Amino acid sequence: MSAIIQAEELSRWYGIVMGLNHVSFSVSSGITGFVGPNGAGKSTLIQIITGQLQPSSGELTVFGEAPFNNPKILGRIGYCPERESVHTELKPLDWLRGLALLSGIPSNEITDRCELLLDQVKLPRVHWKKRLGQYSKGMRQRVKLAQALLAEPDLLVLDEPMNGLDPMGRQEFSQILKELAADGVSIIISSHILAELESLCKNVIIVSCGRVLASGEQKSIRTEMRNWSEQLIVKCDQPLSLVKILFDKELILGFDVDEADSSLNLRIKSPETFYQQFPYLIKDSGLKLWEMRSQSRSLKNLFDQITQ
């Protein structure tokens, strides 16, 4: 599958400060998450992808061409910035109509398209007659997503898109993005909130201090890490008996006990062997297993392991 975005030895300086330091990566179709703390270089990367900045050195292409000063490529990109950029005195339809005219969308299509988009981002019609300045942060985020979709982009770039959304709003927003991806839109989401990205993004690019530390599928990144240690939380009726069985079978490297609820945090030696044998060991031992969940397969844990 050809890459939507390709970066080779990409760097960007701000005077003597290096925002990006010789990064190389590729982004394929689907939903990709840019993961990293504030100041990691995510926003600089997004500004280069969306044609707002030129690289200081190296190369980045979108759909095979450099995006800077390239109307053909920029016309295929929808962008939802982190900072507020809505006209507070306008109503959402008025704002979208104005942007649509600037984008060259035929005037006879504009009203229908704008209404369709506001419905698509699930902004209740009862709020359409209010000015944007009266909107909550979460409502403005929905309108910003609608403007990013105006030109029916092939690539959608979202910078901290779920800021200000309540839990129900985040769930709705995630569903909208999944539906867009299913319709063939490639999506990049930048966020420092890892829980937002974990369920959405199969692929991630982990950025820290201007460097790309890892990229690809979360599962593949874990497999390639030599020092990766699978961790599992287990609750049962006799935790120390379970630990003895697992040590005797040489299935774990170590463990910790949470005294608050007597749960075990197991550090697994070989995940494949462990998961093959564990169900039979529980059955033969007669122990009662109450809960089992992975502690190490979260995106936060992956980020912590790579950046430590």
Side-chain angles (χ1 to χ4, degrees):
M1 183 181 296
S2 60
I4 303 296
I5 299 171
Q6 186 76 46
E8 297 289 344
E9 295 297 320
L10 180 68
S11 295
R12 172 69 193 191
W13 291 279
Y14 299 95
I16 62 172
V17 178
M18 180 169 279
L20 291 173
N21 185 7
H22 297 284
V23 302
S24 298
F25 63 90
S26 63
V27 174
S28 299
S29 58
I31 305 178
T32 300
F34 283 0
V35 181
N38 291 327
K42 303 189 302 298
S43 293
T44 297
L45 202 48
I46 281 179
Q47 287 178 319
I48 294 175
I49 291 170
T50 54
Q52 300 174 70
L53 288 176
Q54 281 185 295
S56 299
S57 66
E59 181 183 45
L60 181 138
T61 59
V62 180
F63 301 116
E65 299 182 29
F68 185 80
N69 199 26
N70 189 336
K72 183 179 74 171
I73 295 301
L74 297 180
R76 300 176 65 184
I77 301 174
Y79 176 47
C80 183
E82 177 184 9
R83 66 183 183 275
E84 290 297 341
S85 53
V86 298
H87 198 300
T88 57
E89 294 301 314
L90 290 178
K91 298 172 184 177
L93 274 176
D94 295 333
W95 186 58
L96 292 178
R97 287 191 191 107
L99 293 175
L101 285 169
L102 292 173
S103 300
I105 297 172
S107 57
N108 62 328
E109 299 177 10
I110 286 177
T111 296
D112 287 344
R113 185 179 299 190
C114 292
E115 290 181 351
L116 180 66
L117 287 172
L118 289 178
D119 283 331
Q120 185 176 356
V121 299
K122 294 180 170 45
L123 182 70
R125 287 185 173 240
V126 68
H127 298 302
W128 289 13
K129 294 185 179 181
K130 297 179 181 178
R131 291 182 174 86
L132 292 171
Q134 298 174 285
Y135 279 14
S136 67
K137 173 75 171 178
M139 292 165 67
R140 291 196 299 272
Q141 292 286 57
R142 294 176 188 269
V143 179
K144 285 164 59 180
L145 177 59
Q147 67 79 25
L149 296 172
L150 267 174
E152 300 177 335
D154 298 312
L155 172 64
L156 184 61
V157 182
L158 309 175
D159 195 357
E160 303 287 353
M162 298 192 193
N163 283 355
L165 292 171
D166 58 29
M168 184 64 71
R170 292 187 181 200
Q171 186 175 6
E172 289 179 349
F173 209 93
S174 296
Q175 185 58 38
I176 293 167
L177 298 183
K178 290 176 182 178
E179 291 170 359
L180 288 168
D183 290 337
V185 179
S186 296
I187 301 173
I188 290 175
I189 307 175
S190 171
S191 179
H192 67 282
I193 303 175
L194 303 187
E196 288 182 356
L197 303 181
E198 186 168 0
S199 62
L200 266 177
C201 305
K202 181 179 180 181
N203 299 313
V204 295
I205 295 175
I206 297 178
V207 185
S208 182
C209 300
R211 302 295 299 267
V212 170
L213 302 184
S215 64
E217 293 187 18
Q218 296 181 47
K219 181 179 179 181
S220 298
I221 294 172
R222 292 189 189 95
T223 301
E224 292 171 3
M225 290 178 63
R226 294 181 181 178
N227 297 323
W228 180 262
S229 176
E230 183 85 1
Q231 296 183 50
L232 195 68
I233 299 296
V234 174
K235 292 182 182 180
C236 67
D237 59 340
Q238 300 179 53
L240 296 182
S241 296
L242 176 60
V243 167
K244 183 179 185 307
I245 292 170
L246 296 176
F247 267 126
D248 289 344
K249 295 293 183 179
E250 298 183 347
L251 293 177
I252 57 175
L253 299 170
F255 74 99
D256 295 300
V257 179
D258 188 335
E259 296 181 0
D261 59 2
S262 298
S263 63
L264 295 171
N265 185 342
L266 304 175
R267 296 184 290 281
I268 298 171
K269 185 175 183 180
S270 169
E272 183 176 357
T273 303
F274 178 91
Y275 289 117
Q276 286 177 348
Q277 297 187 22
F278 187 72
Y280 301 102
L281 293 176
I282 291 294
K283 181 179 179 181
D284 294 343
S285 68
L287 298 176
K288 295 179 181 179
L289 184 65
W290 295 326
E291 181 182 348
M292 184 174 75
R293 56 186 168 86
S294 174
Q295 181 73 0
S296 59
R297 291 178 181 261
S298 71
L299 184 53
K300 181 181 184 306
N301 186 273
L302 178 60
F303 178 79
D304 290 343
Q305 290 275 350
I306 289 175
T307 58
Q308 66 183 2

